[in-house]
Amino acid sequence: MARFGLPALLCTLAVLCAALLAAEPKSKSCSEVRRLYVSKGFNKNDAPTHEINGDHLKICPQGYTCCSQEMEEKYSLQSKDDFKSVVSEQCNHLQAIFASRYKKFDEFFKELLENAEKSLNDMFVKTYGRLYMQNSELFKDLFGELKRYYVAGSVNLEEMLSDFWARLLERMFRLVNSQYHFTDEYLECVSKYTEQLKPFGDVPRKLKLQVTRAFVAARTFAQGLAVARDVVSKVSVVSPTAQCAEALLKMLYCSHCQGLVSVKPCYNYCSNIMRGCLANQGDLEFEWNNFIDAMLMVAERLEGPFNIESVMDPIDVKISDAIMNMQENSVQVSQKVFQGCGPPKPLPAGRISRSISEGAFSARFRPYHPEERPTTAAGTSLDRLVTDVKEKLKQAKKFWSSLPSNVCSDGRMAAGNGNEDDCWDGKGKSRYLFAVTGNGLANQGNNPEVQVDTSKPDILILRQIMALRVMTSKMKNAYNGNDVDFFDISDESSGEGSGSGCEYQQCPSELEHNATEPSGKSANDQAGSAGGLVRARPSLLAAFCILLLVMQREWR
């Protein structure tokens, strides 16, 4: 019985050995991973054709993998580029909106001034002829100062307008009293009576109020559009930190290493990573929203009492009304001046007649018909411009708090919200279980995906916050009709891209969060242990079968 039992036992063991060898999983193909890797412009020699031992991987889960060390390094760089590109696209769209609206407003205001000056010049030439031409530099200076204020802001509008009316009074006083000789000292005395006598009626007071408010609001609003453009432009340049870069690699390409090329990151998983990587941008939200609200307030003023178009279009008519007021009241005004400043010296008889013939100022203003007025500035109207910008401002509100979600809504970055059970969670194809953290630096202490140093705010972001705060203050002043001193904040808001990231291999791996199993081992540790067990099986089985054959020969 024993003679027949031993061969049977050996046969059974041989069959079992063959079965175990047949059950050993075959190495999976990496052809699809390789194809996608090469499609990104990378060297195909980096990519294995079949799964290999993954002990070399630093960030992606180890075990059997389709990624070589070179692939992980290049995927790390690619993930940062992908992140920068999507964030840049989101910001560039908003930046382009503010840039185009600023350009349109700037063109409109400058053309409005040019049209108003041309209209006044044409009307006054027809009305007053040579007399106006002899004094045209006075009006040219007025428009020059208005342009200088809009461009540089270095003009005190109230003082400038007061000076204009004083100079106009001196010129007209000479013309209506051409039989007298006036010294510069005498004319200075005349200027002192401007407020008291009101030779131009109530026009200077009303025009000063209207021009000051309209120009302050217009210039402040244009400056606000420029500041918004520059803030978005600067903040859109992001440089991921080392921790952010690791999280991006894990999210975007570690699934490829496991052969899951068609599985996209879970939406909430992406949201946590974006909120960690864009934590500093999230801190712009409060000041940005205050700034947008202030812009909308000034926009309402531009549509109403501070409408620069309604001030500048009829400015020629208003100045001419003032001149006619002076003409009609010239006798009373002259008598009061003579009483206060003393009787002027008459000109010699020959010079009196020549002076009267050359300086007669009896022409009456004749306004143009509406069809003769210049076309609307920049081919549009202020109302249409403001209506358009108001809509864009409302859309731009809460932009920074929405940025992480908008990035993850891009199909290149994550799966849709409705695909919560069939997505990449950083370790495998599963449902993402962590809650989404809040926006901003202060909320990142418990971010499960990105380690963020909440004690170090980004300097560039802080500068942009200050730029928005300063501009918001100026907007509020402009809303109340107060002139404000502008200064160039480009130096204050300049800086490099946010973050203090470093390139792959130049920074130590600092990814400190891993989901832990009940055993206390991380998912990565367990994957490595499992991989080691599977790798050990083929050699053990082969040794066992060789031992059986030797034993069979011995027993024979």
Side-chain angles (χ1 to χ4, degrees):
M1 185 73 178
R3 289 176 58 194
F4 294 101
L6 183 58
L9 177 60
L10 290 173
C11 185
T12 301
L13 289 172
V15 170
L16 178 61
C17 178
L20 287 170
L21 287 173
E24 174 65 22
K26 294 181 180 178
S27 180
K28 292 181 182 178
S29 170
C30 296
S31 58
E32 186 62 15
V33 175
R34 182 185 175 96
R35 185 187 67 80
L36 289 173
Y37 181 77
V38 172
S39 71
K40 291 185 176 294
F42 299 133
N43 190 336
K44 66 179 181 181
N45 295 329
D46 296 341
T49 56
H50 290 79
E51 287 182 331
I52 60 174
N53 176 3
D55 285 345
H56 55 272
L57 297 178
K58 297 180 180 178
I59 307 300
C60 295
Q62 296 181 340
Y64 275 128
T65 181
C66 283
C67 286
S68 65
Q69 182 178 348
E70 291 78 14
M71 289 177 70
E72 188 181 45
E73 292 171 2
K74 289 177 181 176
Y75 273 147
S76 178
L77 296 174
Q78 185 63 49
S79 63
K80 288 191 285 186
D81 287 343
D82 292 347
F83 167 68
K84 291 177 183 179
S85 176
V86 175
V87 172
S88 180
E89 286 176 17
Q90 293 284 337
C91 293
N92 286 350
H93 176 68
L94 183 63
Q95 191 263 350
I97 288 174
F98 282 115
S100 63
R101 269 55 184 188
Y102 167 75
K103 183 180 179 183
K104 197 71 177 175
F105 265 87
D106 189 57
E107 289 174 352
F108 176 85
F109 291 142
K110 288 177 180 176
E111 190 173 334
L112 184 67
L113 283 170
E114 290 174 2
N115 285 347
E117 183 175 11
K118 184 178 184 302
S119 177
L120 183 142
N121 186 71
D122 292 345
M123 291 178 184
F124 279 35
V125 166
K126 287 192 175 184
T127 303
Y128 304 113
R130 187 164 60 89
L131 201 57
Y132 164 72
M133 296 299 292
Q134 291 171 345
N135 296 278
S136 62
E137 82 281 356
L138 181 63
F139 302 93
K140 186 176 181 180
D141 289 346
L142 168 65
F143 283 97
E145 288 295 283
L146 290 174
K147 290 175 187 175
R148 191 159 72 89
Y149 172 79
Y150 174 71
V151 172
S154 56
V155 175
N156 186 311
L157 287 175
E158 292 191 4
E159 288 183 5
M160 183 272 293
L161 289 168
S162 295
D163 183 61
F164 166 76
W165 292 112
R167 291 173 65 195
L168 183 59
L169 175 60
E170 290 179 8
R171 302 290 178 95
M172 289 198 64
F173 193 77
R174 270 177 169 161
L175 292 172
V176 297
N177 295 285
S178 54
Q179 69 273 30
Y180 296 107
H181 169 71
F182 299 104
T183 63
D184 291 341
E185 291 76 12
Y186 195 95
L187 292 175
E188 282 182 17
C189 180
V190 173
S191 298
K192 294 176 183 177
Y193 284 85
T194 305
E195 290 294 327
Q196 178 185 339
L197 300 176
K198 294 188 177 179
F200 301 110
D202 207 28
V203 173
R205 185 190 65 81
K206 289 182 178 178
L207 196 59
K208 181 188 294 184
L209 185 65
Q210 292 169 347
V211 167
T212 300
R213 288 179 171 180
F215 270 77
V216 168
R219 186 175 193 277
T220 308
F221 195 74
Q223 286 284 337
L225 292 172
V227 166
R229 173 201 64 194
D230 294 342
V231 166
V232 176
S233 177
K234 289 181 174 69
V235 175
S236 66
V237 182
V238 291
S239 296
T241 63
Q243 294 79 9
C244 170
E246 289 181 359
L248 290 169
L249 167 61
K250 195 174 177 182
M251 180 183 87
L252 293 172
Y253 290 107
C254 283
S255 57
H256 288 215
C257 296
Q258 293 192 12
L260 303 174
V261 293
S262 61
V263 179
K264 293 183 177 180
C266 301
Y267 181 84
N268 286 349
Y269 173 46
C270 173
S271 295
N272 271 334
I273 291 176
M274 289 305 118
R275 292 185 185 207
C277 291
L278 298 170
N280 285 290
Q281 282 77 2
D283 284 342
L284 281 166
E285 180 77 356
F286 180 75
E287 288 299 339
W288 177 262
N289 289 343
N290 286 343
F291 165 77
I292 294 294
D293 288 339
M295 287 282 287
L296 288 169
M297 287 169 58
V298 176
E300 290 178 5
R301 292 294 207 201
L302 287 173
E303 289 178 316
F306 297 177
N307 188 314
I308 193 171
E309 191 171 24
S310 64
V311 172
M312 293 309 296
D313 269 353
I315 195 170
D316 45 13
V317 177
K318 293 176 181 178
I319 292 175
S320 187
D321 285 344
I323 291 172
M324 286 190 288
N325 251 321
M326 174 64 185
Q327 285 180 265
E328 291 169 357
N329 299 313
S330 60
V331 175
Q332 298 94 312
V333 169
S334 297
Q335 287 176 349
K336 289 182 180 179
V337 169
F338 294 161
Q339 290 174 5
C341 298
K345 294 180 180 179
L347 286 170
R351 290 186 60 187
I352 291 176
S353 59
R354 186 169 68 250
S355 178
I356 293 174
S357 64
E358 290 178 354
F361 201 75
S362 58
R364 300 292 293 179
F365 176 71
R366 293 176 288 106
Y368 278 3
H369 295 296
E371 62 270 15
E372 294 177 307
R373 296 187 65 82
T375 56
T376 307
T380 185
S381 69
L382 184 63
D383 288 341
R384 283 197 292 270
L385 283 175
V386 172
T387 299
D388 171 64
V389 172
K390 280 172 64 179
E391 186 62 30
K392 296 298 186 292
L393 287 169
K394 291 173 184 175
Q395 293 171 6
K397 198 169 181 182
K398 298 184 179 179
F399 175 81
W400 302 107
S401 61
S402 303
L403 184 58
S405 300
N406 290 338
V407 169
C408 291
S409 295
D410 191 301
R412 293 168 292 178
M413 300 298 286
N417 264 323
N419 192 15
E420 296 176 1
D421 295 313
D422 193 25
C423 54
W424 172 254
D425 68 352
K427 295 179 284 294
K429 186 178 178 181
S430 180
R431 184 183 184 88
Y432 186 70
L433 300 178
F434 291 101
V436 177
T437 190
N439 280 298
L441 198 61
N443 290 317
Q444 301 312 308
N446 296 318
N447 192 314
E449 305 302 337
V450 186
Q451 183 185 4
V452 181
D453 187 349
T454 58
S455 67
K456 293 182 180 178
D458 188 281
I459 297 301
L460 171 68
I461 300 296
L462 292 178
R463 286 176 175 170
Q464 306 318 306
I465 289 172
M466 181 56 65
L468 291 170
R469 192 173 295 164
V470 168
M471 199 66 230
T472 299
S473 175
K474 294 180 185 300
M475 287 285 172
K476 291 178 179 178
N477 279 324
Y479 176 80
N480 293 321
N482 300 325
D483 198 355
V484 287
D485 293 324
F486 284 87
F487 59 95
D488 186 1
I489 63 170
S490 59
D491 291 337
E492 299 246 350
S493 58
S494 63
E496 301 304 322
S498 64
S500 55
C502 46
E503 294 303 316
Y504 190 86
Q505 287 188 317
Q506 294 177 346
C507 299
S509 174
E510 297 177 15
L511 185 63
E512 293 189 6
H513 173 82
N514 281 312
T516 49
E517 300 294 332
S519 65
K521 287 187 178 181
S522 71
N524 283 354
D525 292 338
Q526 291 190 350
S529 300
L533 180 61
V534 170
R535 289 193 298 275
R537 285 176 61 196
S539 57
L540 288 172
L541 287 169
F544 180 63
C545 289
I546 292 170
L547 179 61
L548 282 174
L549 292 173
V550 171
M551 287 173 63
Q552 188 178 23
R553 287 197 184 104
E554 289 286 328
W555 288 329
R556 283 179 181 175

